[in-house]
Amino acid sequence: MHIPRASWLLAACMGTIINASDILEVDLVFPRNKTYAPADRFPVVFAFQNAERARYLNPAISYTLWNLQDLDDTMTNSHDLRGTNWTDQDTYLAHSYHTLFKNEGRYKVSWTVTWQSCDEDAFKNKLSTAKMIDNMTTWATYFTTQSSAPKVDLVAATAEKTCPEKYGVLMNVTDKTMKVPWNVRWSGGDYTNDTCAVVAKSTPTATPEPCRVHIDKTTVESMEASLWLECDANNVKVEGSTPSGTSVFLFLSFF
């Protein structure tokens, strides 16, 4: 099993405006069910739309990349988002680069998003059995690498106007928050002042729209430039602004 050499999280204000609502959407932005040229550094990108709604949910993403021609040749990665600043974020990107896709082949991305919400009735009635509500959704996407295919281009790939709904997950996050009782164990509490959000029990009537996420050239350049950062420590935080004024928060860790 291979472990990616570097992974990081990037939050960028990319000019995409998400209509204010209770809906939090998590999408696999790249790759999609298409054919790409092999690449030494192949990106896997997830997006949180209406991202501020994730603030009290303790979300996390994990995924496995499978070489379908050699199932022993896999990569795993995860994004622990507990320390993320979700405030005033329209779109938040979590991404990493991988070295599995240097050759032609057929591949699978199996990804899972988890989140935790308040048990409103149990917390309100101070039940001794109260606990957080654990939620999980898993999807899989297949793609191919072929030498004759176009090179990976995140700008072009996210400029498409339509894409399958299966790349996205919706959560109906209400405006109501609650204090987590002292007897309820919750790993996200240290990052939210022990505050959780109430998620509506009803299924959102909207449909996922991953194609609303557009990654521009400046954001791609920031992602690629970060590959060449030399760091003395295992965890480095770099903050700054690109020439266009795009806000970038970069977290880099080596494995």
Side-chain angles (χ1 to χ4, degrees):
M1 178 174 291
H2 300 286
I3 303 297
R5 293 181 60 189
S7 65
W8 50 88
L9 304 178
L10 175 69
C13 301
M14 300 173 293
T16 301
I17 303 300
I18 305 300
N19 292 329
S21 71
D22 294 341
I23 303 299
L24 169 66
E25 180 172 338
V26 183
D27 306 299
L28 174 63
V29 176
F30 190 89
R32 293 171 180 163
N33 187 13
K34 293 183 177 293
T35 300
Y36 309 98
D40 290 337
R41 300 179 302 277
F42 195 96
V44 175
V45 186
F46 297 90
F48 287 75
Q49 298 192 64
N50 202 16
E52 191 167 3
R53 288 287 171 177
R55 182 177 180 183
Y56 297 115
L57 293 181
N58 191 29
I61 293 174
S62 60
Y63 60 95
T64 301
L65 307 174
W66 301 87
N67 180 345
L68 297 181
Q69 296 167 304
D70 181 1
L71 295 180
D72 290 328
D73 191 14
T74 66
M75 285 183 175
T76 60
N77 198 18
S78 62
H79 295 301
D80 182 345
L81 303 168
R82 285 177 294 181
T84 301
N85 179 11
W86 299 104
T87 305
D88 299 324
Q89 296 286 358
D90 283 330
T91 301
Y92 185 93
L93 298 182
H95 79 277
S96 57
Y97 280 84
H98 299 272
T99 59
L100 180 65
F101 312 106
K102 294 180 179 180
N103 302 311
E104 292 186 336
R106 181 72 173 159
Y107 299 93
K108 173 184 175 181
V109 183
S110 177
W111 60 284
T112 298
V113 56
T114 61
W115 66 98
Q116 296 170 307
S117 55
C118 309
D119 186 334
E120 184 176 8
D121 292 336
F123 290 3
K124 183 170 57 178
N125 294 309
K126 300 181 179 179
L127 300 181
S128 60
T129 56
K131 60 181 180 180
M132 302 298 297
I133 297 176
D134 295 315
N135 307 273
M136 180 178 71
T137 298
T138 298
W139 287 103
T141 298
Y142 298 82
F143 67 98
T144 302
T145 56
Q146 195 171 72
S147 297
S148 59
K151 292 183 178 180
V152 171
D153 184 341
L154 291 178
V155 175
T158 59
E160 298 175 353
K161 295 183 179 180
T162 59
C163 49
E165 298 170 3
K166 64 183 179 181
Y167 295 128
V169 177
L170 299 179
M171 308 163 209
N172 192 352
V173 186
T174 71
D175 290 324
K176 186 171 184 177
T177 59
M178 301 182 74
K179 200 73 172 178
V180 178
W182 66 269
N183 60 320
V184 174
R185 298 181 62 182
W186 186 38
S187 62
D190 292 340
Y191 301 87
T192 65
N193 194 28
D194 290 320
T195 301
C196 61
V198 175
V199 174
K201 296 179 181 179
S202 58
T203 302
T205 56
T207 55
E209 296 185 66
C211 283
R212 288 188 303 190
V213 178
H214 302 294
I215 300 177
D216 61 24
K217 182 179 178 181
T218 300
T219 302
V220 172
E221 289 174 348
S222 297
M223 293 166 66
E224 293 177 344
S226 64
L227 284 170
W228 310 109
L229 288 176
E230 294 183 2
C231 305
D232 294 328
N234 285 338
N235 293 287
V236 177
K237 179 180 179 182
V238 180
E239 299 186 13
S241 296
T242 63
S244 65
T246 299
S247 298
V248 174
F249 301 89
L250 177 67
F251 296 83
L252 178 65
S253 59
F254 291 95
F255 297 87

